[in-house]
Amino acid sequence: MAPSSPAKIVVIGNGLMGSALARAFAAAGHDVAVWNRTASKAKAVGGGTTAVEDLREAVSGRELVVVSLSNYAAWFELCSSKGVASALAGTTLVQLTSGSPSDARAGLEWAKANGADYLDAAILAYPGFVATDYATVFYAGSRPVFDRHLDTLQAIARKSIFVDEQIGSAATLDCAILEAYYGSSLAFLHAAAMCKAEGLDPKTFFAHKDSFLGLISVTADAARGMIESNDFSGDQCSLDTHVAAIEHIVRLSKDARISTRFPKELLDNYKRAISAGLGSKELPAVFRTLARDDT
């Protein structure tokens, strides 16, 4: 069903993600222009979008300018092109380029200086999941600006979540979730390598994924309260006991002649907490040694 008031949108950057975003907006009934440095990529987006070759023309008269580029530097290079900044005045920039909180802050400063509203956003989805129930987009910036465009933004993700007016908050949450994802992924892949090296079919390990996912969930719930209260005491399992378990993992890896780099790094981090006098505390006490840079 087409929206009662179709928005005029341009999507800058037509890689896999940008193309998916543009097609989703168009499928929801919006007026969508697309622009890419390589014009043929813009023309290939299709799905009811209109390819525009001139960047200034592409952004002129658009309510939403959605940016999906390789990095923020690419965006700042584009918006410094002749006439582009003035054409962006009065629009709302939605920055979906992956970056850091400092990138987000720089983007906001540029937008303020050039008369544009600004939302910094982070999408948790592969291109193929855009506009499905598996897509989540986090937003930071002005709450009134977010609320004004929410109906339109939900074309790319029904779960369009406002995090905070602090502009770096969406990028921070995105990096935090991705670190948990990449770290745990490396952990279970190393675990599968251990199984294979010891002659145990990795599918047996993966069949018990609920066991380690459950432990992660329980620990995360405990950590939330402990970090808030700054009290890591408990009677479940001390850091000393956890370190002994990790030492078994390092020894197994060494005996099986697979990489020990990852479990050794784990061991070093946990031992650092013990050196700080936290050996009798619960596992989340490691947070205290990570909340500052001791190097």
Side-chain angles (χ1 to χ4, degrees):
M1 181 181 294
S4 56
S5 286
K8 298 186 71 175
I9 304 167
V10 60
V11 177
I12 306 299
N14 304 145
L16 292 175
M17 182 59 78
S19 296
L21 297 172
R23 287 191 290 264
F25 281 125
H30 298 293
D31 177 354
V32 183
V34 290
W35 181 92
N36 197 81
R37 192 186 298 272
T38 303
S40 59
K41 283 190 174 183
K43 293 176 181 177
V45 174
T49 65
T50 302
V52 181
E53 293 192 15
D54 182 78
L55 179 57
R56 180 179 179 182
E57 179 186 344
V59 302
S60 295
R62 297 283 160 177
E63 299 167 48
L64 284 177
V65 177
V66 178
V67 184
S68 179
L69 297 171
S70 57
N71 52 56
Y72 279 69
W75 165 244
F76 287 125
E77 179 184 349
L78 290 178
C79 62
S80 65
S81 303
K82 184 177 180 180
V84 172
S86 59
L88 287 166
T91 66
T92 295
L93 287 170
V94 180
Q95 183 59 268
L96 271 159
T97 298
S98 296
S100 68
S102 61
D103 290 326
R105 289 188 282 269
L108 176 62
E109 288 305 309
W110 186 94
K112 283 182 175 179
N114 289 278
D117 288 326
Y118 185 78
L119 292 173
D120 200 76
I123 186 166
L124 281 178
Y126 290 113
F129 293 143
V130 168
T132 73
D133 291 340
Y134 297 101
T136 299
V137 182
F138 297 116
Y139 293 89
S142 164
R143 184 61 190 253
V145 172
F146 171 78
D147 290 340
R148 185 167 75 243
H149 296 292
L150 177 57
D151 286 346
T152 301
L153 294 172
Q154 286 183 322
I156 59 175
R158 292 298 300 174
K159 289 185 286 188
S160 294
I161 299 171
F162 183 80
V163 181
D164 198 89
E165 292 210 339
Q166 183 173 300
I167 197 63
S169 60
T172 300
L173 183 56
D174 180 53
C175 286
I177 290 173
L178 287 177
E179 182 182 29
Y181 165 64
Y182 290 127
S184 59
S185 294
L186 182 57
F188 73 65
L189 291 171
H190 187 273
M194 285 196 303
C195 291
K196 185 175 182 179
E198 285 291 335
L200 178 65
D201 193 327
K203 71 181 181 183
T204 302
F205 162 68
F206 288 119
H208 293 279
K209 69 177 183 179
D210 287 345
S211 296
F212 67 80
L213 292 177
L215 285 171
I216 292 172
S217 181
V218 167
T219 304
D221 289 342
R224 178 172 56 186
M226 289 180 174
I227 290 171
E228 183 177 4
S229 64
N230 195 32
D231 181 0
F232 298 93
S233 58
D235 58 4
Q236 295 303 303
C237 188
S238 69
L239 270 173
D240 287 327
T241 302
H242 286 296
V243 163
I246 299 171
E247 286 174 336
H248 297 325
I249 298 170
V250 173
R251 191 169 71 251
L252 187 161
S253 300
K254 184 177 180 180
D255 291 346
R257 296 182 182 277
I258 66 170
S259 174
T260 60
R261 183 176 301 173
F262 178 69
K264 280 183 176 179
E265 182 65 26
L266 279 179
L267 186 59
D268 287 346
N269 278 277
Y270 282 80
K271 279 189 169 181
R272 189 177 301 119
I274 289 178
S275 297
L278 300 170
S280 64
K281 302 297 184 180
E282 296 289 312
L283 187 152
V286 175
F287 176 81
R288 284 185 178 170
T289 65
L290 300 174
R292 62 181 185 272
D293 186 1
D294 291 327
T295 60

